[in-house]
Amino acid sequence: MAALFESSFATPLFFSSNANNNNSATSKSPSHDLRFHHTHTHTHSHTPSSSSPSLQPQPEPDSDSTRDRRRAVRVAWEKLVRWSRSWRSKNKTDVLERTKKVVVLGGGSFGTAMAAHVANRKAELEVNMLVRDPQVCFSINERHCNCKYFPDHWLPDNVVATTDAKSALLNADYCLHAVPVQFSASFLESVADYVDPSLPFISLSKGLELNTLRMMAQIIPQALRNPRQPFVALSGPSFALELMNKLPTAMVVASKDKKLANKVQQLLASSHLRISTSSDVTGVEIAGALKNVLAIAAGIVEGMNLGNNSMAALVSQGCSEIRWLATKMGAKPTTITGLSGTGDIMLTCFVNLSRNRTVGVRLGLGEKLEDILSSMNQVAEGVSTAGAVIALAQKYNVKMPVLTAVARIIDNELTPKKAVFELMSLPQVNLTPVFR
């Protein structure tokens, strides 16, 4: 494929000294051709020159070349479809058939959306949501909706809510962890006695623990006092509302255990949710955490009405900062530029549904952080993650001016306007990054 593109673009578009070598009449220089046509046009203005490049006859829609091109496109598409069917047939497993019960820890928007998604995969599947709010629990069980986050969306009948951790976790085959990062350790410690040591945990939570700088891959096994607790990170550009509406979405599951990642892929993948697998747990988790901080910065730019040029410059610089830190921590660069990295960054930085971007917009408009947070019914992980990011940057000796500015704004040590001035006053650089 690469060779085809290279050969296509290797030939000049308008003139070629090698074209028609067997015809000396066509070997004139481009300038000679242009002078000839110019003179001819003025001499016989009433008769257009048939040899003028701009008046060359164009191929008819049903010409041989057009038919050949269309045939090539059709053949390529048919090959792709056949390959897809063959792959699905070859990789089909009985994971979904063997799964009897899935537990979801947390009753927030994303946990609810994933609970509904899994429940829709099989009507006989028991999906238990462990929630702490009795009102949400009642709403799910009696009205089949989460009144707090999705009052207008019906939940499948096989979704059941409970406030009892023991009954929720009993005989579960998979656990979807959707508790905010900052509360995860204490919550998991409180339910550790009910967790089977072999129960796979699929983490939906994105962020860094503020004081310890731990990611969920460390928090979950340590809180459960089981270093061998099976772990999978699920991440990617995915708003809960769009999952609830069954709009096409793509995500990544990452695990050191390749077989477990494949099982989770088979459990979650559907006609509207594509799941890719990865072994780069660090890359998937750190990108998911840092993009929330960058989204706050993007929101500030929007709130201050600094324009599209500024937004593009800020987000691209932020992407570089995330890549520098992540690779220092052992992540693969391809993970950071992929679905769970750049894909998630684009969604969170540019779309109004993002909680973290909303915080940034309101900061840029001049609101105080405490007023913003008190008016929200969901957690914006980037607020608590920002300070942890800077501590990580110092640990790995990586300079991160954009994300550091966000942390200082959140700590009320810098105003958004002053932050922009200081960022724009940084030394001019060449194409080689100097902030690493």
Side-chain angles (χ1 to χ4, degrees):
M1 181 66 76
L4 287 173
F5 278 108
E6 288 170 5
S7 62
S8 299
F9 288 103
T11 304
L13 294 177
F14 299 106
F15 299 101
S16 174
S17 60
N18 295 324
N20 299 318
N21 288 332
N22 61 337
N23 188 347
S24 59
T26 61
S27 61
K28 303 181 184 73
S29 68
S31 61
H32 178 84
D33 284 345
L34 290 173
R35 288 196 302 271
F36 172 79
H37 293 309
H38 177 75
T39 305
H40 186 80
T41 301
H42 279 273
T43 305
H44 306 283
S45 58
H46 61 284
T47 306
S49 172
S50 60
S51 60
S52 172
S54 62
L55 297 177
Q56 290 285 348
Q58 300 297 315
E60 295 296 328
D62 58 346
S63 66
D64 290 343
S65 61
T66 300
R67 285 196 294 269
D68 289 344
R69 176 183 58 77
R70 289 177 176 172
R71 186 182 302 112
V73 172
R74 184 173 64 253
V75 169
W77 179 255
E78 289 172 351
K79 285 182 177 180
L80 178 64
V81 171
R82 286 197 301 271
W83 168 81
S84 176
R85 290 172 180 168
S86 173
W87 186 91
R88 287 199 302 268
S89 176
K90 186 186 304 182
N91 290 273
K92 186 177 181 180
T93 67
D94 59 349
V95 170
L96 187 61
E97 287 78 3
R98 288 187 288 108
T99 302
K100 306 298 183 184
K101 180 179 180 179
V102 173
V103 60
V104 179
L105 307 182
S109 60
F110 202 74
T112 301
M114 287 304 299
H117 173 75
V118 173
N120 280 319
R121 297 280 287 133
K122 187 173 75 170
E124 300 80 18
L125 183 64
E126 181 183 352
V127 179
N128 275 201
M129 293 183 64
L130 179 60
V131 302
R132 63 177 181 176
D133 188 337
Q135 186 178 357
V136 170
C137 185
F138 176 84
S139 174
I140 292 173
N141 292 333
E142 300 299 324
R143 301 174 185 171
H144 296 291
C145 74
N146 187 325
C147 60
K148 189 173 183 180
Y149 299 105
F150 297 112
D152 299 323
H153 286 75
W154 176 84
L155 292 174
D157 292 338
N158 52 333
V159 174
V160 178
T162 180
T163 57
D164 180 14
K166 184 177 180 179
S167 65
L169 287 159
L170 184 64
N171 297 324
D173 297 303
Y174 292 92
C175 176
L176 295 173
H177 179 93
V179 178
V181 172
Q182 306 308 320
F183 308 108
S184 289
S186 58
F187 169 78
L188 289 169
E189 288 168 359
S190 69
V191 302
D193 292 340
Y194 311 123
V195 176
D196 189 292
S198 62
L199 176 63
F201 268 69
I202 306 167
S203 175
L204 314 182
S205 308
K206 299 177 182 179
L208 297 168
E209 196 172 45
L210 186 56
N211 296 323
T212 66
L213 310 184
R214 294 183 300 175
M215 292 180 286
M216 293 307 301
Q218 292 83 43
I219 293 173
I220 289 177
Q222 290 175 15
L224 296 176
R225 303 184 297 276
N226 179 18
R228 295 183 178 276
Q229 194 77 43
F231 176 83
V232 177
L234 176 68
S235 189
S238 50
F239 284 138
L241 178 61
E242 296 189 2
L243 276 175
M244 288 292 286
N245 290 332
K246 299 182 180 180
L247 297 178
T249 302
M251 302 179 72
V252 176
V253 290
S255 178
K256 298 295 184 183
D257 185 339
K258 184 177 180 180
K259 290 183 178 180
L260 177 58
N262 289 335
K263 288 180 180 179
V264 174
Q265 178 187 53
Q266 295 297 322
L267 176 70
L268 300 180
S270 72
S271 60
H272 62 273
L273 178 58
R274 285 181 56 83
I275 300 289
S276 302
T277 61
S278 171
S279 61
D280 187 8
V281 177
T282 298
V284 169
E285 284 219 90
I286 196 66
L290 301 194
K291 62 92 181 179
N292 286 329
V293 184
L294 181 56
I296 295 175
I300 290 172
V301 169
E302 179 70 19
M304 295 179 68
N305 198 26
L306 297 181
N308 297 319
N309 295 349
S310 177
M311 180 69 76
L314 175 119
V315 173
S316 60
Q317 169 65 27
C319 287
S320 295
E321 293 178 15
I322 291 173
R323 186 181 71 252
W324 299 336
L325 178 59
T327 51
K328 279 286 189 74
M329 295 176 67
K332 298 175 183 177
T334 51
T335 302
I336 307 307
T337 57
L339 192 65
S340 59
T342 303
D344 212 357
I345 289 169
M346 288 192 293
L347 184 77
T348 315
C349 288
F350 300 140
V351 182
N352 289 331
L353 288 173
S354 167
R355 299 189 297 268
N356 293 282
R357 185 181 186 275
T358 298
V359 170
V361 169
R362 295 175 66 177
L363 285 171
L365 290 170
E367 293 187 53
K368 293 183 178 180
L369 181 62
E370 54 268 28
D371 295 335
I372 298 171
L373 297 181
S374 64
S375 66
M376 298 176 66
N377 67 347
Q378 298 185 68
V379 176
E381 287 281 11
V383 174
S384 53
T385 299
V389 168
I390 306 313
L392 267 182
Q394 292 175 344
K395 178 180 178 180
Y396 288 93
N397 193 28
V398 178
K399 291 182 176 64
M400 307 175 73
V402 167
L403 300 190
T404 301
V406 174
R408 295 196 68 200
I409 291 171
I410 287 174
D411 289 341
N412 204 28
E413 295 178 355
L414 201 63
T415 65
K417 185 175 181 179
K418 181 68 173 175
V420 172
F421 174 79
E422 292 190 1
L423 287 172
M424 291 300 294
S425 300
L426 290 170
Q428 309 297 321
V429 299
N430 58 24
L431 292 178
T432 303
V434 298
F435 293 124
R436 278 185 283 187

